[in-house]
Amino acid sequence: MFAIVDSTARLPRWQTLAGTVMSSLIATFLVFDGAIKLVPIAPVTETMTALGYSGDPMLARGLGIVTLACALLYAIPRTSVIGAILLTALLGGAIATQLRVGSPIFSHLLFGVYLGLIAWGGLYLRYEAVRKVIPFKL
């Protein structure tokens, strides 16, 4: 469906670099977020409890595994689009959770939107195929 591996050859260097930096920031954040859930430290279980979930370490580990899987798929160029789709679903759940508990809008509720925009923006800058699927004209 997407032939995105070789599509960076004709892009300006700044565009490829900006997209790579954006995607790297997202992947790094997701790896960190997933890793701290694998070893559910007190702040993780306390935050989950405050958000209305059980403080069960197995729940945190499961969420950590899903997050790391999304990060891995997003980081691999051939699977980055499916990784971004799954990441969008994961972030949608996070946004719904923040909405349910009445979190502040710009700092908590929209944080998932910010991450999603950076994730898709990185792919948009790097891959022509993504730009064809999501035609954004100024």
Side-chain angles (χ1 to χ4, degrees):
M1 181 174 165
F2 291 105
I4 59 175
V5 175
D6 296 328
S7 66
T8 60
R10 55 190 172 262
L11 295 177
R13 181 176 164 83
W14 71 266
Q15 191 171 336
T16 304
L17 183 62
T20 301
V21 167
M22 291 169 71
S23 294
S24 297
L25 286 171
I26 293 299
T28 301
F29 175 79
L30 289 174
V31 167
F32 172 76
D33 188 51
I36 65 171
K37 288 181 175 83
L38 288 181
V39 188
I41 56 178
V44 170
T45 54
E46 290 167 7
T47 301
M48 288 181 67
T49 302
L51 292 172
Y53 296 102
S54 74
D56 183 11
M58 290 307 293
L59 180 62
R61 285 187 185 106
L63 190 54
I65 290 169
V66 169
T67 303
L68 288 172
C70 289
L72 178 64
L73 289 170
Y74 182 76
I76 298 171
R78 287 188 180 266
T79 60
S80 59
V81 172
I82 190 70
I85 292 168
L86 294 173
L87 169 62
T88 303
L90 181 73
L91 294 174
I95 293 166
T97 297
Q98 296 294 338
L99 179 64
R100 186 178 55 79
V101 298
S103 296
I105 294 174
F106 294 105
S107 61
H108 292 70
L109 180 65
L110 293 179
F111 187 70
V113 174
Y114 305 147
L115 291 178
L117 288 172
I118 295 169
W120 280 102
L123 294 182
Y124 190 88
L125 288 173
R126 290 180 12 225
Y127 300 129
E128 183 179 345
V130 174
R131 288 192 301 278
K132 286 181 180 179
V133 174
I134 307 169
F136 179 71
K137 304 282 185 194
L138 291 177

